[in-house]
Amino acid sequence: METYRTEEEQVEAIKRWWRENGKSTVFGIALALAIVFGWKGWQGHQQTQAGEASAMFDDLLVADAAVQRDGSSLATAQHLANTLTDQFSGLSYGQFAALFKAKYAVKSSDYETAITELEWVLAQRPSAQIKAQAEIRLAQVFYAQKEYDKALAYLSTLAATGYAAEAAELEGDVAFAQKDNAAALAAYQRARSLARQQEAPVNNAMLELKINDLSAAQVAVEGAK
């Protein structure tokens, strides 16, 4: 380690170090401060955006409730949903808004628009919950269009999600539409079993009717042999 015999030599060494390193040190400090304050500013901006999006999404929920109740406020709901997807695509609020847009498109039988909206949601790399919701809805739209292979492709990804029971039932619907009653019955029974495993099981009267009808038909076929 270098030593200095006099105070003058120490002062000179400090001056020399400053000439060689001072500017880069100041730049490093300034950069660090810029990063810190820039990060805080970005966080503040994100919080502001989230607050705005949350308030707008609350308005969308109110408008959607009116749409479901009596068909009113559809234009307002669509406007709010469009604004959310345009301005907050990176937030869950914007992605949920696209799900509303897809729902309105389906209600008017505009399946192509619904598919576009749902595929847009998936392109945003959303949370697992939103992703699963978009996929089950895409499967439903493709089923309605009788594009069964596409519907099944999305349903195959939902076995480990909260939509597993719903996906199994739709698999049964696809099999029934393809006149494969045995596969349909198996899928419906799996859907019932999955539904019973949920934290809050729902009594699905339509599913029970499907199972009973196919079971009776199966018994009749076997009895006729």
Side-chain angles (χ1 to χ4, degrees), residues 95-118:
Q95 295 154 17
F96 271 122
L99 298 178
F100 280 87
K101 291 167 68 175
K103 178 175 68 173
Y104 301 144
V106 167
K107 288 187 70 172
S108 61
S109 299
D110 185 358
Y111 295 123
E112 292 305 318
T113 295
I115 291 169
T116 298
E117 293 294 343
L118 294 169

Side-chain angles (χ1 to χ4, degrees), residues 71-84:
S72 63
S73 299
L74 177 59
T76 299
Q78 289 176 323
H79 172 71
L80 290 167
N82 285 331
T83 303
L84 281 163

Side-chain angles (χ1 to χ4, degrees), residues 54-207:
S54 177
M56 193 175 298
F57 189 75
D58 286 343
D59 291 340
L60 173 58
L61 293 177
V62 172
D64 181 69
V67 173
Q68 303 310 312
R69 184 176 62 251
D70 55 22
S72 63
S73 299
L74 177 59
T76 299
Q78 289 176 323
H79 172 71
L80 290 167
N82 285 331
T83 303
L84 281 163
T85 54
D86 289 344
Q87 296 184 10
F88 306 103
S89 61
L91 300 178
S92 59
Y93 298 109
Q95 295 154 17
F96 271 122
L99 298 178
F100 280 87
K101 291 167 68 175
K103 178 175 68 173
Y104 301 144
V106 167
K107 288 187 70 172
S108 61
S109 299
D110 185 358
Y111 295 123
E112 292 305 318
T113 295
I115 291 169
T116 298
E117 293 294 343
L118 294 169
E119 288 180 339
W120 177 88
V121 173
L122 295 179
Q124 308 310 306
R125 297 184 178 182
S127 67
Q129 178 190 5
I130 298 176
K131 180 175 180 290
Q133 195 168 151
E135 288 174 339
I136 188 68
R137 293 192 183 185
L138 273 166
Q140 291 166 341
V141 172
F142 284 125
Y143 169 75
Q145 292 187 306
K146 299 183 179 181
E147 295 190 50
Y148 300 131
D149 289 342
K150 290 182 178 180
L152 290 172
Y154 280 107
L155 292 174
S156 66
T157 68
L158 296 168
T161 72
Y163 293 93
E166 193 172 349
E169 183 177 356
L170 189 52
E171 284 180 30
D173 292 341
V174 170
F176 183 76
Q178 295 175 324
K179 303 186 184 307
D180 188 346
N181 288 359
L185 179 58
Y188 290 147
Q189 290 172 333
R190 188 171 75 256
R192 179 171 63 185
S193 176
L194 289 167
R196 288 173 175 173
Q197 294 171 23
Q198 295 175 346
E199 291 185 11
V202 176
N203 182 28
N204 188 337
M206 181 58 68
L207 177 60

Side-chain angles (χ1 to χ4, degrees), residues 2-19:
E2 186 177 2
T3 58
Y4 303 102
R5 289 172 293 179
T6 67
E7 184 177 340
E8 289 78 5
E9 287 178 334
Q10 292 178 350
V11 171
E12 184 58 34
I14 292 171
K15 289 180 178 179
R16 185 168 63 252
W17 181 90
W18 181 256
R19 287 194 299 269

Side-chain angles (χ1 to χ4, degrees), residues 207-224:
L207 177 60
E208 292 300 323
L209 181 61
K210 293 173 184 177
I211 291 173
N212 291 338
D213 285 349
L214 285 177
S215 296
Q218 188 177 64
V219 169
V221 169
E222 292 175 352

